[in-house]
Every structure is written in C-alpha cells, then in structure tokens.
Amino acid sequence: MKKDDIFEFFRRLAEANPSPDTELEFGNVYQLLVAVTLSAQSTDVGVNKATRKLFAKVKTPAQMLALGEEGLKAHIKTIGLFNSKAKNVIAMAEILVRDHGGEVPADRDALTLLPGVGRKTANVVLNCAFGAETFAVDTHIFRVGNRTGLARGKTPLAVEKQLERKVPQPFRVGAHHWLILHGRYVCKARTPECWRCPVVDLCSYKAKVLEKGAKPEAAKKPRGKKESKP
C-alpha cells in the first residue's frame, strides 16, 4: 500500500470512528492490565462479564492479593485458561506491590517482566493507559495488515514493525483500535464484508466479497489451484 493510500486508509477509519477505544471495561490502569491479561485467547465480551463484579471489589494490586488466588478464580472461572491466568494475576500483583509501589509501570520492558504479560499486552496497556504510539498485533491486526497490504509480515512482530514504520500522524495513537475494530466487525476472518468496507478500494485483497451473502472468490476456485492468502 502506497504512502498516500495509507494516509487515506486511516483518514476514512478515523472519520467513521473519531474516538476509538478498547472494548474491555476497566476503571483504572491496574484494572486495564488485569483485563488485558485475562483476554488472551478469550473474547472481550467474556472478560467483561467476568470482571464487572471483580472490579467492583478489586481496584489495586493490594486488594487483589487480599482476594487471593481462589477468590480470583471464583470470579474468572468462565474465562478460558482461568487457572493459569489467576496464578499469573496474583504473582503480578505481588511484584507490583513489592517493586512498583502498587503502580503499573509505563515502560514496556518493566511490563513484560510481569507474569502473564507479553509484548502485545504491554503494548495495549501503554497505548490505552499512557497514550503511547504502540501497535498491539493480535489476530485481527495481523489479518488486516496482511490481507489489505497495509503491513505484511509472517509474524506479529514483523507486522508491528511495519506499522511502526508506515502509520502516519495524526493516526498513530488510534491506529491500534481502528485496525482491531475493522478486523473484528468488517474485515472478518472467514468472510470479509468488503461490500460495506470504507477502504475497499485501497485494499489489495484479491478475493473480495463485494455482495452481501456471497462467498470469497478464493473459496469458489476449483481444487488444485492455490487460494489467495488472507
């Protein structure tokens, strides 16, 4: 995707949604960190259902430690991998209290040292809580980046590096959210809804679905021929 097309790509997404934000519910930076940690391999909707009562009781790492691992499990048992996630969240709370005065550090290296926190989670927290120009590449952003030609790469880190290099101002802070929401609701994995996509003419995807209810062109090809990659 050319430089001018990239600017237009984000201009249109921004016009449609001027103030994008995460769909995770939280009241402070610590709750955001916990919510993002719990969201791994889970939906935001499922995490929000589990954390509403939890966050009414727990607003700080110290309160999480007081709740304890078993108490936390009782709140998040509907979330996938809740046993390991509960263990990580409690260990995370211990480190935050011991080493950071109960505050969430605004530093990627410090964040990724916390149990259960990888680069993607750290990038989400830095972006949503501290306004950093970070790009947390989840499955949606990875798909949109490769499918549209905006930022191609074989790994999430490769796509992230492409986005860091290509996304222009004034879209860098909001780009993470626009791409996730676009991938979640329009540029879907199985059947992208190209017929209602605001950037369809800028996209390099060859198997576009230009009519509602149609199937991707790649799916119609006879066996033996290579399908277009998403």
Side-chain angles (χ1 to χ4, degrees), residues 102-166:
E103 300 294 326
V104 176
D107 176 80
R108 181 187 285 142
D109 291 338
L111 285 169
T112 54
L113 289 175
L114 297 172
V117 178
R119 185 181 181 90
K120 182 178 73 173
T121 296
N123 282 343
V124 173
V125 172
L126 291 171
N127 180 269
C128 296
F130 302 109
E133 296 176 357
T134 56
F135 307 91
V137 180
D138 67 350
T139 56
H140 297 300
I141 293 184
F142 186 78
R143 179 175 66 256
V144 171
N146 278 286
R147 179 182 278 172
T148 63
L150 170 67
R152 288 197 168 109
K154 293 183 179 180
T155 66
L157 182 59
V159 171
E160 179 185 338
K161 294 299 183 182
Q162 287 288 311
L163 291 172
E164 287 180 349
R165 185 170 66 85
K166 292 182 176 181

Side-chain angles (χ1 to χ4, degrees), residues 28-67:
N28 59 34
V29 181
Y30 174 63
Q31 290 181 341
L32 170 64
L33 175 61
V34 172
V36 179
T37 302
L38 294 176
S39 71
Q41 300 181 48
S42 302
T43 65
D44 288 358
V45 172
V47 172
N48 290 337
K49 287 181 179 179
T51 58
R52 284 179 191 132
K53 290 184 178 179
L54 172 66
F55 288 165
K57 296 180 179 180
V58 175
K59 297 175 174 59
T60 67
Q63 290 175 339
M64 186 65 78
L65 291 177
L67 179 66

Side-chain angles (χ1 to χ4, degrees), residues 166-182:
K166 292 182 176 181
V167 178
Q169 295 290 7
F171 309 114
R172 292 181 65 82
V173 173
H176 159 80
H177 299 296
W178 283 313
L179 292 174
I180 284 180
L181 294 173
H182 189 63

Side-chain angles (χ1 to χ4, degrees), residues 6 8 13 17 19 36-37 58 62 65 79 90 95 101 104 117-118 130 150 152 186 191 199-200 208 211:
I6 292 174
E8 179 64 12
L13 295 182
N17 184 6
S19 302
V36 179
T37 302
V58 175
L65 291 177
I79 299 176
I90 294 299
I95 294 173
V104 176
V117 178
F130 302 109
L150 170 67
R152 288 197 168 109
V186 180
T191 306
V199 293
V200 63
K208 292 176 181 173
E211 294 182 12

